[in-house]
Amino acid sequence: RRYVAGGQCKSTAKLEGKVVIVTGANTGIGKETARDLAQRGKVIVACRDIVKAEAAATEIRAETGNQQVIVKKLDLADTKSIREFAEKFLAEEKELHILINNAGVMLCPYSKTADGFEMHLGVNHLGHFLLTFLLLERLKQSAPARIVNVSSLAHHGGRIRFHDLHGEKSYNCALAYCHSKLANVLFTRELARRLQGKSQRRVVFTANALHPGSVRSELVRHSFVMTWLWKIFSFFLKTPWEGAQTSVYCAVAEELDSVTGQYFSDCQPAYISPRGRDDETAKKLWRVSCELLGIQWD
């Protein structure tokens, strides 16, 4: 059981006066990440389902005694919602120190977002890509700041199929998830590279990705088979609290103050697949993502 649980974040760092956004924080590892960080500072719970988000926030406030756990609507499957969230956040909050891009979908039947993107790519990658773009200047102004992207070991099975990004020629829900998790790793590394290239001093603005582990959560709800297997083998899966440990580690650990562009698992550096280390693919994905979203991000 201890082996399955994996690493734990040992940092006791406080976040007084700091602001954190956690996407998809109404359930699973997102909720546990928000719960931990609410014991340290102000947390924005950014979710599509406001009712579930309010229930989670009420629970976290009661447990931590922190009333600065605030719910904001964010639907990553709709760029209009992403822009509205960012606009309201920037109008209300003068600082942002940690952005945790946690929300995600897995094993969805073929479907598209409001903007016509394949659902896994649209939510897991493009949605967070746009959100990060819209909040980047506020993060820079608040430096030292961190971006934490929740990826997966599944990125090892992914590839960026530029000829069929939206799965219109062929589609497999498991592979689509893998492709989107690879995109998370590539985005993280390219973002870190660009930010480092513009910094002349110590790194004070970092971006890292992570694998949370195999976690008992609602992420497999779209697959009857996976839901059944998750129940049978639940003893060999992490709890949401255990799965949140690496997210919290990447967000607060003092030893990561100047570490950027890396990938972690169980609160320690982990191996990135060869495709995840392909800088040319990362640069191309960046360009294509900007084109799809209609933004200029140099």
Side-chain angles (χ1 to χ4, degrees):
R1 180 63 246 176
R2 285 196 298 271
Y3 174 78
V4 171
Q8 291 185 18
C9 177
K10 304 296 186 182
S11 173
T12 58
K14 295 297 183 182
L15 300 173
E16 289 104 339
K18 295 190 175 183
V19 181
V20 181
I21 292 175
V22 184
T23 68
N26 63 320
T27 187
I29 66 172
K31 180 179 176 182
E32 293 305 320
T33 301
R35 191 195 308 274
D36 182 289
L37 297 178
Q39 299 176 54
R40 306 170 191 257
K42 183 174 182 177
V43 178
I44 308 296
V45 175
C47 301
R48 178 179 58 85
D49 190 323
I50 291 295
V51 174
K52 288 185 178 180
E54 286 289 0
T58 298
E59 179 186 319
I60 293 171
R61 290 186 204 110
E63 183 177 317
T64 63
N66 181 4
Q67 298 306 305
Q68 292 295 292
V69 179
I70 301 168
V71 172
K72 298 290 183 184
K73 183 174 178 59
L74 171 65
D75 184 354
L76 288 161
D78 186 347
T79 58
K80 181 180 178 182
S81 174
I82 298 170
R83 291 182 180 278
E84 288 176 350
F85 169 86
E87 183 178 347
K88 291 178 181 178
F89 175 85
L90 294 173
E92 296 170 0
E93 301 288 343
K94 300 308 177 187
E95 293 186 305
L96 175 59
H97 302 89
I98 302 171
L99 171 61
I100 301 183
N101 290 320
N102 163 84
V105 295
M106 180 180 181
L107 303 175
C108 298
Y110 187 76
S111 57
K112 290 186 175 182
T113 68
D115 302 273
F117 309 139
E118 186 278 315
M119 190 62 69
H120 293 90
L121 181 76
V123 172
N124 297 353
H125 168 60
L126 292 171
H128 283 129
F129 187 96
L130 177 61
L131 179 65
T132 305
F133 167 75
L134 295 172
L135 299 177
L136 190 68
E137 287 306 312
R138 186 56 45 89
L139 282 158
K140 287 181 178 179
Q141 293 164 9
S142 308
R146 300 185 187 190
I147 294 172
V148 179
N149 294 325
V150 179
S151 180
S152 170
L153 182 69
H155 85 271
H156 285 267
R159 62 186 306 172
I160 306 302
R161 304 170 69 247
F162 289 108
H163 67 287
D164 189 24
L165 274 178
H166 303 295
E168 294 169 328
K169 296 177 181 178
S170 65
Y171 179 76
N172 177 289
C173 62
L175 289 177
Y177 176 72
C178 295
H179 301 334
S180 70
K181 294 292 101 178
L182 174 60
N184 292 155
V185 173
L186 292 169
F187 167 48
T188 301
R189 287 169 57 81
E190 180 62 11
L191 175 60
R193 186 189 69 80
R194 288 167 176 258
L195 293 171
Q196 274 190 294
K198 295 180 180 179
S199 176
Q200 301 300 316
R201 294 177 292 177
R202 184 175 68 89
V203 177
V204 293
F205 186 80
T206 65
N208 291 298
L210 66 99
H211 167 56
S214 297
V215 181
R216 296 198 299 269
S217 72
E218 297 179 8
L219 194 60
V220 296
R221 63 186 178 276
H222 293 291
S223 170
F224 172 78
V225 173
M226 288 297 292
T227 301
W228 182 69
L229 289 173
W230 246 229
K231 289 180 179 178
I232 292 176
F233 296 104
S234 61
F235 182 80
F236 300 100
L237 301 174
K238 289 185 177 183
T239 65
W241 181 86
E242 291 163 350
Q245 292 304 297
T246 306
S247 294
V248 175
Y249 174 75
C250 289
V252 303
E254 297 89 340
E255 61 266 33
L256 300 187
D257 281 346
S258 298
V259 176
T260 190
Q262 301 302 307
Y263 173 73
F264 294 86
S265 178
D266 285 328
C267 301
Q268 59 186 358
Y271 179 73
I272 301 175
S273 74
R275 289 194 180 107
R277 289 179 271 119
D278 188 329
D279 292 339
E280 291 308 310
T281 299
K283 292 173 185 176
K284 183 175 180 179
L285 178 63
W286 186 284
R287 293 195 302 270
V288 171
S289 298
C290 287
E291 292 170 4
L292 289 171
L293 293 165
I295 60 175
Q296 287 189 324
W297 189 357
D298 299 321

